[in-house]
Amino acid sequence: RDTNNPRVGEDMRNGQDVTPQMFSDAFGFYGVEFGNWVEQTKRQSDLNDAYDALMDMAAILGIPPKAISLNGELGLAFGARGSGGINPASAHYEPSKIVINLTKKSGAGSLGHEWWHALDNYFSRSRQRGGDFTSTALDVSLAARKSQYFNNTSVRSEMIDAFGRVVRAIKDTALKARSSKLDAKRSKVYWTTGEEMSARAFE
């Protein structure tokens, strides 16, 4: 959509503004950062909105809110890590810093997408086999095709199989065809990469 509609759902914070301590206690991110250009009123509304969104996502996924921070390894930034430019991204995930950045103007609505990238990267780091994302790993690709694979990582085979089912489910949709149309306008593939399609499917 061109605009984000106001959230409709259970009031998780009893009508009060979220304090940094409340946010930290609820999710356990290793850090939350605001850019210099994010004014105080915007900081408060961003914190409130992110709190609501993350609580909703935890409820939908059936996981404790603390699990959202991926064992406290994930950081969150609001308008602090972008560089602007022509057609800047609304948000991005940085595997090297393990942080999600939401831009000041248009980051809202991208949190779920970027969180999937963080989760995808979390299991990749746990595997210690190179590559930033589990969704594009060879054994996951084999699992998606229901082929045998050798698991020599610390990640359980059940998780590799689960990622394989996600990849297989995506291939059974028209997502790749739609993504290919977007990539036709680019010099380098982006929308059809495994990590991007899985994040868009989760979103």
Side-chain angles (χ1 to χ4, degrees):
R1 297 187 181 96
D2 291 333
T3 59
N4 285 298
N5 292 329
R7 173 185 178 269
V8 176
E10 181 184 350
D11 181 3
M12 307 277 198
R13 45 191 173 85
N14 300 316
Q16 63 180 316
D17 284 336
V18 175
T19 65
Q21 189 62 50
M22 280 174 61
F23 199 87
S24 176
D25 290 346
F27 306 112
F29 289 103
Y30 75 74
V32 177
E33 177 184 14
F34 286 94
N36 294 333
W37 300 104
V38 182
E39 60 275 12
Q40 189 58 45
T41 55
K42 178 83 167 106
R43 290 182 185 200
Q44 187 61 68
S45 66
D46 283 348
L47 209 57
N48 289 347
D49 290 345
Y51 184 93
D52 291 343
L54 293 169
M55 282 294 193
D56 286 345
M57 190 165 70
I60 289 167
L61 295 175
I63 61 176
K66 269 269 170 67
I68 292 287
S69 66
L70 307 176
N71 288 333
E73 294 180 20
L74 181 61
L76 187 61
F78 297 90
R81 307 185 66 81
S83 57
I86 300 171
N87 300 321
S90 297
H92 67 274
Y93 171 70
E94 297 178 27
S96 61
K97 301 290 185 184
I98 316 175
V99 63
I100 292 171
N101 180 65
L102 305 173
T103 61
K104 176 181 175 181
K105 291 185 177 179
S106 54
S110 300
L111 188 52
H113 179 107
E114 300 306 332
W115 185 81
W116 173 266
H117 281 317
L119 180 75
D120 198 357
N121 176 244
Y122 171 82
F123 283 105
S124 182
R125 291 195 318 276
S126 299
R127 292 156 56 86
Q128 299 177 336
R129 292 196 36 203
D132 284 336
F133 300 104
T134 299
S135 58
T136 57
L138 176 59
D139 50 7
V140 168
S141 177
L142 290 169
R145 297 194 297 268
K146 299 183 179 179
S147 299
Q148 287 189 327
Y149 62 87
F150 176 65
N151 181 13
N152 62 348
T153 74
S154 59
V155 174
R156 292 179 296 130
S157 295
E158 291 88 347
M159 187 57 65
I160 295 169
D161 292 339
F163 268 94
R165 288 193 299 274
V166 168
V167 171
R168 186 165 61 250
I170 290 169
K171 288 181 179 175
D172 288 340
T173 70
L175 182 58
K176 185 163 187 177
R178 294 196 306 272
S179 300
S180 295
K181 288 182 181 178
L182 293 170
D183 268 345
K185 302 173 185 176
R186 298 174 56 90
S187 58
K188 184 179 176 183
V189 296
Y190 171 74
W191 300 104
T192 51
T193 59
E195 66 269 21
E196 192 59 29
M197 287 196 297
S198 64
R200 291 177 69 205
F202 178 78
E203 169 193 341

